[in-house]
C-alpha cells in the first residue's frame, strides 16, 4: 500500500454511506407538522432536598449507583434475570435525578445530567427500563415523568442519519424481555389521567414502532391500539388516536399490511365523525388523519371510501371547535397535494367551504383555507411546467385546471384578504397574516393562469390605489406586485409603463410606511420580471427614466429600515438586469453614487433591523457584478475599504455572545463582498494585475478569519480564497503552506457539512489554478477525500462533488494520478453500480441520484483526459469495460436528466479519445453506445448536442471502419 494512504479502505463502505437505497431512506412524509405540546424540561420543578449542597451530590450519586453492569446467574434464564434486576433497581431514586436535572441551580442540574449520561452509557437496558417505568408510574411527579419520556424518545431517534441508524441498531440489540417490559409500560401510560404523560408515551411508542415494524417486530401493536378505540374513557381514545397519527408519521406505508391500514383509517375517520361527542378525541383523530393520508392510496382509489373520507373531513371544517376546523383544513391541504387527481367532484363544495372560512373564520383557520388554493396552484404549476406545450389529456399526470375554472370567484375572495391588514402588523421577514397569505396565493394564481388574471385584478388596483385609507392603497399596490410573475411581458408592459411614475412618487411621498414598504417591494418585482436583456419587449428601464429611478431608490435607502431594505432589494434587481449588458449600462454614470449610498447604509446605526445591512451588501455585490471596464477603477477603490472593515472586525476585543454573533454575520458579509470583487476584477484585463497587489493582505485576513469559530464565516472565507486562487493562478502556490491546514480542516468538517462541501469545491479551484503545483498536497487531499466518501457521518450531498474533485485532481496532475487509481477507481465503480440501479423513491431522491451520477462521470472524464497522451494510458484499459457498463445502465434506465446525459456522452467521447483504437472494439460491443449517441445528436438541448458532436468525431477516429 502506498505510504500516502494511512488507513485500510474497502469500497463497500460507500454503499451504506451514500444512502441510496429506498429501504434505508424512506420517502419524506407529507407536509407533516409536529402538533404535540412541547415536552421539554419544566422550569423550576420542586426543590430537591439539600439542593445545591453536598447532601444533594451524595443523593444523586447514590441514585445513579445502579449503573453497574448486570451479571447473569446461570440458574436464572437471562431474560428473567435482567427484568428482575431492573425491578430491584427501581428502588433507587431516578425520580430525584430527573427533578434535579430541571433545577434552576446550574450546578445541581449539571451533576444530574452527568449522572443520567453515565447511567445510560454503563447500563442502557436499565436506563431505558427505568425511564419507561417512571413515565408509567402515576405516583411520580408530572415533571419527572415528562422528562423521562423526552429522554426516552431522544434515546431512540436523532436528526443525523448516521446517529439515527446507531440508535436503531442499539434498540434492536436489546434483550427481548427488556423491550417487552418497556413497551408494556408505554402502552400502559396511554390510559394515564395526565395528558402530558399520554402525549409523550404516544410519541415514544411511534418511535419504537418506526424501528420495529419495518423489521416485522411488534406485530401485535396496531391491533392493541385499535382495541383501545372501543374504550369508554375519552382520554384513552384520544391518546390512542394520537399514537396512531404519530405511528403513521414514523412508519413507511409499505411496512403496514393493507388490512391494518384499512382498520387504522376506519378508526381515525370514525373518531373524526361529528357523532363523536368529545372534542379532544375528534381533534386527535383529525390530526391523525393528516399523518395517515400517505397510507390511503388504495382507499382514495375507491370511490365510496374516498367519498366517505372527504365527507368527514369537510364536516370537520364546520366544527364548533376552532382547533378541529384548523386541523381539518390542514387535511384538505395535504389531500390537495397528495390526491390532486381525485378532487374534481369535490371542488365546488371545497370552494364554498374555503370561501366561508376565509371571509368569516378565525385567522388560523382562514390561513389554512387559503393554503388549500396555494397548494392547488403548486400542483398545477408543476404539471404544466413538466409537460409544457406537450401536455395532453392522455398524459400520466392530468391537469384539471381547477384554478382557471375557479378564477372568477377565487380572485375576488383573495383580493378581499388584502384589505385585512393590521395597523401594527410586523413588517419584518417571517411575519405572516391573512393579507400576506392572500397576496402569496394571488401570485401563485398568476403563475398558474398567466394573462387571464390581469383583467380581474386591475379594476381593484385602479379603484383603491388613490383612496385616503392606507389599507386600500397598500392592498392595491400589493395586488399589482403579486401578479407580475406569470402574465406575459406584452400584457404587463403597458400597465407597468403607466404605473412606474406613480409608484416612484408614492415611494417618496406616501405618508404610510406600509404603503412605501409594499411599493418598494413591487418596484423590485417589476425590475425582477420585466427588466433585463432576455426580454423581447421594449425595455421598461431607459436612459431617460433611469436617473429618476435611481434618485428615488437612493433616497428611499435613507428611510426607515423596512422601507430601506426593500429599496435595496429593488436596486438589486435593477442591477441584476444589467449583469449581461456588455459595455453599455445606464447605471455607469451613477456608479460612484450607488456604491457610496450602499456603503452608507451598511454603517447606519439601525442597519441590524429588517435585514437592512445584509440587503445592502447583497445589493453591493450585484452592483459590482454588473460593472464594466469603465467602472472597474471604482470597484478597485472598494478593495481597501472592505479589507479595512474586515480588519476592524478581527481587532475587536472581548465581546458578548450577541456581539460575537453580529461580528460573525458582518465578517461573512465582508468576505462574500470580497469574493465578488475578486471575481470581477480578476476577470477584467484592465484591473487584474493591479488588483493582485492586494492578494497578500487579503490572504492574511482570510486566514485570520478561520480563527473565528463560525461555520457561515468559514464558508464565505473559503469561497473568497477559491476566487483568489482562480485569479492568482500558479502564483497562489506561495500561500499553500499556510493555507493547507485550513483546507484540511474544512475537508474534515463533517458536522458543518456545508463548509466541507465548499472546501471540496475550493480544491477544484486550486487544481485549475495551480495545475501540477498542487501535487505536493495531493496525498493529504486524496486521503481525506477517500475518508469522506467512506464515512457514514458526512451528509450525502457532499459526496457527488467529491467525485467531481477526483476529476479535477487528475486533470491537474495528469499521469501522477497513477498512485491513486487503485483506490479511486474501485470507489467510483461501487458508486456507479449503486447509482445506476438505484430506485428513486421520489423526485428529491432522483435529483440526488443524478447529482451522484454526474459527479462520477466528471471523475471519469477528468481521469481519462488527465492520462491522454501519457505513456501510462494503458493503465486505464482495465477500467474501460466498467465505464461502458455504467453508460449502458444509465441509458437503459431512462431516468437521467440533461446534465447527466451531456456528461455521459462526453465520457464516451473521452474514452474513445484517450484510449483510441484500443477502445474501439469495446465501444463497438457496447449494447447502447450507438443509440445513445444518436439520441444525444438529436437532442433539443444545445449543450447535449455539442457534446455529442465532439464524441462522434472521437468515436469515429477510434472505430474508423464503422459508421456511427
Amino acid at each position: 500500500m502506498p505510504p500516502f494512504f494511512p488507513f485500510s479502505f474497502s469500497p463497500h463502505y460507500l454503499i451504506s454511506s451514500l444512502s441510496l437505497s429506498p429501504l434505508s431512506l424512506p420517502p419524506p412524509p407529507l407536509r407533516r407538522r409536529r402538533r404535540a405540546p412541547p415536552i421539554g424540561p419544566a422550569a423550576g420543578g420542586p426543590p430537591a432536598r439539600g439542593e445545591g449542597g453536598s447532601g444533594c451530590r451524595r443523593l444523586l450519586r447514590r441514585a445513579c449507583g445502579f449503573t453497574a453492569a448486570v451479571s447473569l446467574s446461570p440458574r436464572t434464564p437471562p431474560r428473567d434475570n435482567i427484568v428482575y434486576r431492573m425491578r430491584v433497581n427501581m428502588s433507587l431514586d431516578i425520580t430525584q435525578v430527573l427533578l434535579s436535572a430541571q433545577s434552576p441551580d446550574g450546578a445541581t442540574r449539571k451533576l444530574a445530567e452527568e449522572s443520567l449520561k453515565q447511567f445510560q452509557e454503563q447500563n442502557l437496558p436499565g436506563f431505558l427500563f427505568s425511564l419507561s417505568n417512571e413515565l408509567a408510574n402515576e405516583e411520580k411527579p408530572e415533571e419527572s415523568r415528562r422528562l423521562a419520556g423526552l429522554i426516552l424518545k431522544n434515546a431512540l431517534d436523532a436528526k443525523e442519519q448516521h446517529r439515527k441508524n446507531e440508535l436503531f441498531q442499539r434498540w434492536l440489540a436489546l434483550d427481548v424481555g427488556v423491550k417487552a417490559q418497556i413497551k408494556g409500560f408505554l402502552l400502559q401510560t396511554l390510559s394515564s389521567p395526565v395528558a402530558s404523560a399520554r402525549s409523550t408515551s404516544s410519541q415514544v411508542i411511534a418511535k419504537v414502532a418506526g424501528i420495529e415494524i419495518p423489521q416485522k417486530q411488534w406485530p401485535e401493536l396496531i391491533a392493541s391500539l385499535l382495541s383501545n378505540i372501543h374504550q369508554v374513557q375519552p382520554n384513552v381514545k384520544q391518546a390512542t388516536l394520537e399514537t396512531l397519527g404519530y405511528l403513521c408519521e414514523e412508519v413507511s406505508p409499505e411496512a403496514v399490511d393493507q388490512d391494518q391500514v384499512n382498520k387504522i383509517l376506519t378508526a381515525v375517520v370514525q373518531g373524526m365523525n361529528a357523532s363523536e361527542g368529545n372534542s379532544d378525541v375528534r381533534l386527535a383523530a383529525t390530526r391523525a388523519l393528516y399523518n395517515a393520508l400517505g397510507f390511503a392510496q388504495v382507499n382514495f382509489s375507491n370511490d365510496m371510501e374516498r367519498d366517505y373520507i372527504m365527507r368527514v373531513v369537510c364536516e370537520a371544517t364546520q366544527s364548533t371547535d376552532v382547533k378541529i376546523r384548523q386541523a381539518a383544513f390542514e387535511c384538505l391541504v395535504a389531500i390537495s397535494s397528495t390526491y390532486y387527481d381525485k378532487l374534481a367532484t369535490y371542488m365546488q363544495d371545497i370552494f364554498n367551504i374555503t370561501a366561508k372560512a376565509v371571509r368569516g373564520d378565525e385567522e388560523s383557520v382562514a390561513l389554512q383555507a387559503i393554503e388549500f388554493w396555494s397548494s392547488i396552484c403548486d400542483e398545477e404549476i408543476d404539471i404544466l411546467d413538466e409537460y409544457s406545450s406537450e401536455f395532453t389529456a392522455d398524459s400520466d399526470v392530468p391537469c384539471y385546471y381547477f384554478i382557471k375554472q375557479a378564477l372568477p370567484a377565487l380572485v375576488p375572495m383573495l383580493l378581499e384578504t388584502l384589505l385585512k391588514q393590521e395597523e401594527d402588523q410586523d413588517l419584518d421577514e417571517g411575519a405572516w397574516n391573512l393579507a400576506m397569505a392572500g397576496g402569496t396565493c394571488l401570485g401563485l394564481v398568476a403563475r398558474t393562469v398567466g394573462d387571464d388574471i390581469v383583467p380581474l385584478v386591475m379594476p381593484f388596483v385602479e379603484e383603491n390605489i388613490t383612496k385616503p385609507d392606507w389599507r386600500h392603497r397598500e392592498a392595491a399596490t400589493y395586488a399589482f406586485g403579486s401578479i407580475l410573475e406569470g402574465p406575459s411581458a406584452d400584457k404587463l408592459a403597458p400597465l407597468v409603463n403607466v404605473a412606474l411614475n406613480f409608484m416612484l412618487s408614492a415611494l417618496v411621498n406616501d405618508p404610510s410606511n406600509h404603503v412605501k414598504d409594499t411599493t418598494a417591494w413591487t418596484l423590485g418585482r417589476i425590475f425582477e420580471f420585466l427588466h433585463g436583456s432576455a426580454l423581447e419587449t421594449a425595455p421598461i428601464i431607459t436612459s431617460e427614466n433611469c436617473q429618476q429611478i435611481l434618485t428615488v431608490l437612493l433616497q428611499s435607502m435613507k428611510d426607515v429600515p423596512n422601507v430601506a431594505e426593500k429599496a435595496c432589494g429593488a436596486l438589486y434587481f435593477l442591477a441584476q438586469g444589467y449583469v449581461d449588458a456588455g459595455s453599455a449600462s445606464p447605471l455607469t454614470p451613477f456608479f460612484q453614487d450607488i456604491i457610496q449610498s450602499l456603503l452608507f447604509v451598511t454603517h447606519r446605526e439601525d442597519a441590524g433591523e429588517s435585514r437592512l445591512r445584509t440587503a445592502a451588501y447583497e445589493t453591493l455585490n450585484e452592483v459590482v457584478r454588473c460593472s464594466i471596464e469603465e467602472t472597474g477603477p471604482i470597484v478597485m477603490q472598494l478593495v481597501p475599504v472592505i479589507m479595512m472593515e474586515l480588519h476592524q472586525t478581527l481587532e475587536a476585543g472581548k465581546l458578548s455572545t450577541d456581539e460575537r454573533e453580529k461580528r460573525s454575520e458582518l465578517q461573512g458579509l465582508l468576505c462574500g463582498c470580497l469574493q465578488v470583487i475578486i471575481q470581477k476584477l480578476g476577470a477584467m484585463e484592465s484591473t487584474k494585475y493591479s488588483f493582485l497587489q492586494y492578494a497578500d493582505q487579503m490572504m492574511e485576513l482570510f486566514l485570520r478569519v478561520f480563527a473565528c469559530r463560525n461555520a457561515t464565516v468559514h464558508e464565505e472565507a473559503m469561497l473568497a480564497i477559491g476566487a483568489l486562487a482562480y485569479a492568482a493562478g500558479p502564483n497562489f502556490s506561495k500561500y499553500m503552506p499556510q493555507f493547507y491546514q485550513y483546507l484540511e480542516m474544512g475537508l474534515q468538517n463533517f458536522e458543518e457539512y456545508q463548509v466541507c462541501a465548499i472546501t471540496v469545491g475550493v480544491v477544484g479551484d486550486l487544481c485549475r489554478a495551480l495545475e501540477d503545483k498542487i501535487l505536493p498536497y495531493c496525498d493529504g487531499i486524496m486521503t481525506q477525500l477517500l475518508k469522506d466518501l467512506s464515512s457514514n457521518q458526512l451528509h450525502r450531498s457532499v459526496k457527488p462533488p467529491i467525485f467531481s474533485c477526483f476529476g479535477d485532481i487528475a486533470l491537474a496532475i495528469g499521469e501522477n494520478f497513477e498512485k491513486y487509481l487503485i483506490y479511486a477507481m474501485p470507489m467510483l465503480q461501487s458508486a456507479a453500480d449503486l447509482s445506476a440501479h438505484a430506485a428513486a423513491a421520489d423526485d428529491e431522491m432522483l435529483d440526488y441520484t443524478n447529482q451522484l451520477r454526474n459527479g462520477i462521470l466528471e471523475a471519469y472524464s477528468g481521469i481519462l483526459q488527465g492520462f491522454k497522451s501519457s505513456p501510462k494510458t494503458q493503465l486505464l484499459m482495465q477500467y474501460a469495460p466498467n465505464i461502458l457498463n455504467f453508460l449502458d445502465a444509465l441509458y437503459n434506465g431512462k431516468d437521467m436528466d440533461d446534465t447527466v446525459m451531456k456528461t455521459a456522452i462526453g465520457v464516451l467521447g473521452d474514452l474513445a479519445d484517450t484510449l483510441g483504437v484500443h477502445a474501439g472494439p469495446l465501444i463497438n460491443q457496447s449494447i447502447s453506445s450507438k443509440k445513445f449517441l444518436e439520441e444525444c445528436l438529436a437532442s433539443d438541448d444545445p449543450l447535449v448536442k455539442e457534446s455529442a458532436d465532439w464524441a462522434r468525431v472521437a468515436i469515429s477516429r477510434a472505430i474508423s471502419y464503422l459508421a456511427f
Side-chain angles (χ1 to χ4, degrees), residues 293-316:
L293 285 169
F295 287 70
Q297 298 281 349
V298 172
N299 310 85
F300 263 79
S301 298
N302 182 295
D303 291 350
M304 290 183 61
E305 293 180 19
R306 184 177 66 250
D307 287 347
Y308 181 59
I309 293 171
M310 292 299 296
R311 179 176 65 78
V312 171
V313 172
C314 291
E315 284 178 355

Short mmCIF file of all heavy atoms in Angstrom, two decimals, residues 293-316:
data_model
loop_
_atom_site.label_atom_id
_atom_site.label_comp_id
_atom_site.label_asym_id
_atom_site.label_seq_id
_atom_site.Cartn_x
_atom_site.Cartn_y
_atom_site.Cartn_z
N LEU A 293 -52.65 10.07 5.72
CA LEU A 293 -53.06 10.19 4.32
C LEU A 293 -52.12 9.47 3.36
O LEU A 293 -52.54 8.98 2.32
CB LEU A 293 -53.16 11.68 3.94
CG LEU A 293 -54.39 12.40 4.49
CD1 LEU A 293 -54.27 13.91 4.29
CD2 LEU A 293 -55.66 11.88 3.83
N GLY A 294 -50.83 9.42 3.71
CA GLY A 294 -49.90 8.70 2.86
C GLY A 294 -50.18 7.21 2.78
O GLY A 294 -49.73 6.53 1.85
N PHE A 295 -50.95 6.68 3.74
CA PHE A 295 -51.30 5.27 3.77
C PHE A 295 -52.56 4.98 2.94
O PHE A 295 -52.93 3.83 2.76
CB PHE A 295 -51.57 4.82 5.21
CG PHE A 295 -50.33 4.68 6.05
CD1 PHE A 295 -49.61 5.80 6.45
CD2 PHE A 295 -49.87 3.44 6.45
CE1 PHE A 295 -48.47 5.68 7.24
CE2 PHE A 295 -48.74 3.31 7.23
CZ PHE A 295 -48.04 4.44 7.62
N ALA A 296 -53.24 6.02 2.49
CA ALA A 296 -54.61 5.86 1.96
C ALA A 296 -54.67 5.79 0.45
O ALA A 296 -55.74 6.05 -0.13
CB ALA A 296 -55.48 7.01 2.47
N GLN A 297 -53.57 5.42 -0.23
CA GLN A 297 -53.59 5.36 -1.69
C GLN A 297 -54.71 4.46 -2.21
O GLN A 297 -55.47 4.84 -3.10
CB GLN A 297 -52.23 4.85 -2.20
CG GLN A 297 -51.04 5.73 -1.86
CD GLN A 297 -50.92 6.93 -2.76
OE1 GLN A 297 -51.60 7.02 -3.77
NE2 GLN A 297 -50.06 7.86 -2.39
N VAL A 298 -54.78 3.27 -1.65
CA VAL A 298 -55.81 2.32 -2.10
C VAL A 298 -57.20 2.84 -1.79
O VAL A 298 -58.12 2.76 -2.61
CB VAL A 298 -55.60 0.94 -1.44
CG1 VAL A 298 -56.77 0.00 -1.74
CG2 VAL A 298 -54.28 0.32 -1.90
N ASN A 299 -57.37 3.42 -0.63
CA ASN A 299 -58.68 3.90 -0.19
C ASN A 299 -59.16 5.07 -1.03
O ASN A 299 -60.36 5.19 -1.32
CB ASN A 299 -58.63 4.29 1.28
CG ASN A 299 -58.02 3.20 2.13
OD1 ASN A 299 -56.80 3.14 2.26
ND2 ASN A 299 -58.83 2.29 2.67
N PHE A 300 -58.23 5.95 -1.44
CA PHE A 300 -58.63 7.08 -2.26
C PHE A 300 -58.91 6.66 -3.70
O PHE A 300 -59.49 7.43 -4.47
CB PHE A 300 -57.57 8.18 -2.21
CG PHE A 300 -57.88 9.26 -1.22
CD1 PHE A 300 -57.66 9.06 0.13
CD2 PHE A 300 -58.43 10.47 -1.62
CE1 PHE A 300 -57.95 10.05 1.06
CE2 PHE A 300 -58.74 11.46 -0.70
CZ PHE A 300 -58.50 11.26 0.66
N SER A 301 -58.50 5.47 -4.07
CA SER A 301 -58.83 4.95 -5.40
C SER A 301 -60.20 4.31 -5.43
O SER A 301 -60.72 4.01 -6.51
CB SER A 301 -57.77 3.93 -5.84
OG SER A 301 -56.50 4.54 -5.94
N ASN A 302 -60.78 4.11 -4.27
CA ASN A 302 -62.13 3.54 -4.17
C ASN A 302 -63.13 4.68 -3.99
O ASN A 302 -63.05 5.44 -3.02
CB ASN A 302 -62.18 2.58 -2.98
CG ASN A 302 -63.53 1.91 -2.82
OD1 ASN A 302 -64.52 2.58 -2.53
ND2 ASN A 302 -63.56 0.59 -2.97
N ASP A 303 -64.08 4.80 -4.90
CA ASP A 303 -64.99 5.95 -4.89
C ASP A 303 -65.75 6.07 -3.58
O ASP A 303 -65.86 7.17 -3.00
CB ASP A 303 -65.99 5.84 -6.05
CG ASP A 303 -65.32 6.03 -7.40
OD1 ASP A 303 -64.14 6.43 -7.41
OD2 ASP A 303 -65.97 5.77 -8.43
N MET A 304 -66.29 4.97 -3.08
CA MET A 304 -67.12 5.02 -1.88
C MET A 304 -66.27 5.40 -0.66
O MET A 304 -66.68 6.23 0.16
CB MET A 304 -67.82 3.68 -1.65
CG MET A 304 -68.91 3.36 -2.67
SD MET A 304 -69.75 1.81 -2.30
CE MET A 304 -70.45 2.17 -0.69
N GLU A 305 -65.10 4.79 -0.54
CA GLU A 305 -64.25 5.09 0.61
C GLU A 305 -63.74 6.53 0.55
O GLU A 305 -63.68 7.23 1.57
CB GLU A 305 -63.08 4.10 0.66
CG GLU A 305 -63.54 2.67 0.96
CD GLU A 305 -62.36 1.69 1.00
OE1 GLU A 305 -61.22 2.15 1.16
OE2 GLU A 305 -62.61 0.48 0.87
N ARG A 306 -63.37 6.97 -0.65
CA ARG A 306 -62.91 8.35 -0.80
C ARG A 306 -64.03 9.34 -0.46
O ARG A 306 -63.81 10.34 0.23
CB ARG A 306 -62.42 8.58 -2.23
CG ARG A 306 -61.84 9.98 -2.44
CD ARG A 306 -61.30 10.14 -3.85
NE ARG A 306 -62.35 10.08 -4.87
CZ ARG A 306 -62.50 9.09 -5.74
NH1 ARG A 306 -61.68 8.07 -5.73
NH2 ARG A 306 -63.49 9.12 -6.62
N ASP A 307 -65.23 9.05 -0.94
CA ASP A 307 -66.37 9.93 -0.64
C ASP A 307 -66.59 10.05 0.86
O ASP A 307 -66.86 11.14 1.38
CB ASP A 307 -67.64 9.39 -1.29
CG ASP A 307 -67.66 9.59 -2.80
OD1 ASP A 307 -66.82 10.37 -3.29
OD2 ASP A 307 -68.51 8.97 -3.47
N TYR A 308 -66.47 8.92 1.55
CA TYR A 308 -66.70 8.93 2.99
C TYR A 308 -65.64 9.76 3.71
O TYR A 308 -65.95 10.59 4.57
CB TYR A 308 -66.71 7.49 3.52
CG TYR A 308 -66.98 7.40 5.01
CD1 TYR A 308 -68.15 7.90 5.56
CD2 TYR A 308 -66.05 6.81 5.85
CE1 TYR A 308 -68.39 7.83 6.93
CE2 TYR A 308 -66.27 6.72 7.22
CZ TYR A 308 -67.45 7.24 7.75
OH TYR A 308 -67.67 7.17 9.10
N ILE A 309 -64.37 9.55 3.33
CA ILE A 309 -63.29 10.30 3.96
C ILE A 309 -63.46 11.80 3.70
O ILE A 309 -63.36 12.63 4.62
CB ILE A 309 -61.92 9.83 3.44
CG1 ILE A 309 -61.64 8.39 3.89
CG2 ILE A 309 -60.79 10.75 3.93
CD1 ILE A 309 -60.40 7.76 3.25
N MET A 310 -63.76 12.16 2.46
CA MET A 310 -63.91 13.58 2.12
C MET A 310 -65.09 14.19 2.84
O MET A 310 -65.04 15.35 3.28
CB MET A 310 -64.06 13.74 0.60
CG MET A 310 -62.80 13.41 -0.19
SD MET A 310 -61.38 14.46 0.21
CE MET A 310 -61.98 16.06 -0.33
N ARG A 311 -66.18 13.44 2.98
CA ARG A 311 -67.35 13.98 3.68
C ARG A 311 -67.03 14.27 5.13
O ARG A 311 -67.36 15.34 5.67
CB ARG A 311 -68.53 12.99 3.59
CG ARG A 311 -69.78 13.49 4.34
CD ARG A 311 -70.94 12.53 4.15
NE ARG A 311 -70.69 11.22 4.75
CZ ARG A 311 -70.79 10.98 6.06
NH1 ARG A 311 -71.11 11.94 6.90
NH2 ARG A 311 -70.57 9.76 6.52
N VAL A 312 -66.31 13.34 5.77
CA VAL A 312 -65.97 13.53 7.18
C VAL A 312 -65.02 14.71 7.35
O VAL A 312 -65.16 15.51 8.29
CB VAL A 312 -65.37 12.23 7.76
CG1 VAL A 312 -64.82 12.47 9.16
CG2 VAL A 312 -66.42 11.13 7.80
N VAL A 313 -64.04 14.84 6.45
CA VAL A 313 -63.11 15.96 6.54
C VAL A 313 -63.84 17.28 6.36
O VAL A 313 -63.64 18.24 7.12
CB VAL A 313 -61.99 15.82 5.48
CG1 VAL A 313 -61.12 17.09 5.45
CG2 VAL A 313 -61.12 14.61 5.78
N CYS A 314 -64.71 17.34 5.36
CA CYS A 314 -65.45 18.59 5.12
C CYS A 314 -66.38 18.92 6.29
O CYS A 314 -66.53 20.10 6.66
CB CYS A 314 -66.25 18.50 3.82
SG CYS A 314 -65.20 18.48 2.34
N GLU A 315 -66.98 17.91 6.89
CA GLU A 315 -67.82 18.15 8.07
C GLU A 315 -66.99 18.71 9.22
O GLU A 315 -67.43 19.58 9.97
CB GLU A 315 -68.51 16.86 8.50
CG GLU A 315 -69.69 16.45 7.63
CD GLU A 315 -70.30 15.13 8.08
OE1 GLU A 315 -69.73 14.50 9.02
OE2 GLU A 315 -71.32 14.73 7.50
N ALA A 316 -65.77 18.20 9.35
CA ALA A 316 -64.90 18.66 10.44
C ALA A 316 -64.52 20.13 10.27
O ALA A 316 -64.24 20.82 11.26
CB ALA A 316 -63.66 17.79 10.53
#
